[in-house]
């Protein structure tokens, strides 16, 4: 089957897609977008989080055929060509990235959180990121990153 979707603002097409392929698979293997990571492929870790029609989803759980005609934004789509998104910059500056496997999903989820809640409380941050697992950082640096991004108005005015 052929799958056509808008990915990071551009029309993308994948041919000969098998019914069992996931959105994550076609992003990484057919569309040249390896930013979203495959850590569990079971919807447990959040490392594959992308926006589908503006809603964060685990791309490993979405069948490729389900995205026909829809809009996908991946971690690659958050940044401008010339600059990191403020959420990305905050993760970088606070040391919230170690191996980086969880980072793309955390960035998308944080981007969504701050768009909805520009000045989240710590419990709100923890709840929003509860589905994103990190084996490296102990989460404190990640909390620092979200707080810093919020302070800088990454989600817009509070
Ligand atoms: S790879 Fe999709 S949730 Fe873990
Ligand atoms: S930085 Fe390694 S899993 Fe989070």
């Amino acid at each position: 089957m052929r799958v056509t979707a808008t990915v990071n603002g551009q029309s993308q097409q994948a041919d000969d897609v098998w019914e069992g392929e996931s959105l994550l698979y076609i992003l990484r293997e057919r569309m040249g977008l390896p930013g979203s990571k495959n850590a569990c492929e079971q919807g447990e870790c959040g490392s594959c989080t992308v926006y589908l029609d503006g809603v964060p989803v685990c791309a490993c759980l979405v069948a490729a055929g389900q995205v026909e005609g829809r809009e996908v934004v991946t971690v690659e789509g958050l940044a401008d060509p010339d600059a990191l998104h403020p959420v990305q910059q905050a993760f970088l500056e606070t040391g919230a990235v170690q191996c980086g496997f969880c980072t793309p999903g955390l960035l998308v989820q944080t981007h969504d959180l701050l768009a909805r809640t520009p000045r989240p409380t710590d419990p709100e941050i923890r709840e929003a990121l509860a589905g994103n697992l990190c084996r490296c950082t102990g989460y404190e640096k990640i909390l620092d990153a979200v707080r810093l991004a919020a302070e800088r108005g990454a989600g817009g005015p509070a």
Side-chain angles (χ1 to χ4, degrees), residues 24 36-49 57-62 101 131-133:
L24 179 61
S36 312
K37 296 292 180 277
N38 181 359
C40 74
E41 219 168 5
Q42 296 183 1
E44 299 287 347
C45 74
S47 65
C48 63
T49 305
V57 297
C58 290
C60 70
L61 293 183
V62 177
F101 228 79
N132 293 78
L133 305 184

Side-chain angles (χ1 to χ4, degrees), residues 21-90:
E21 288 182 21
S22 67
L23 169 58
L24 179 61
Y25 184 88
I26 65 166
L27 287 171
R28 290 178 54 84
E29 306 297 336
R30 296 183 180 275
M31 296 180 171
L33 292 166
S36 312
K37 296 292 180 277
N38 181 359
C40 74
E41 219 168 5
Q42 296 183 1
E44 299 287 347
C45 74
S47 65
C48 63
T49 305
V50 300
Y51 283 110
L52 178 59
D53 290 342
V55 177
V57 297
C58 290
C60 70
L61 293 183
V62 177
Q66 287 179 278
V67 303
E68 176 63 35
R70 299 174 74 181
E71 187 172 344
V72 178
V73 176
T74 71
V75 68
E76 290 96 336
L78 299 185
D80 289 332
D82 301 329
L84 293 176
H85 186 277
V87 172
Q88 295 169 315
Q89 188 65 36

Side-chain angles (χ1 to χ4, degrees), residues 95-103 106 133-139 142:
V97 181
Q98 289 189 23
C99 81
F101 228 79
C102 66
T103 309
L106 281 163
L133 305 184
C134 174
R135 291 183 176 186
C136 306
T137 62
Y139 298 100
I142 292 168

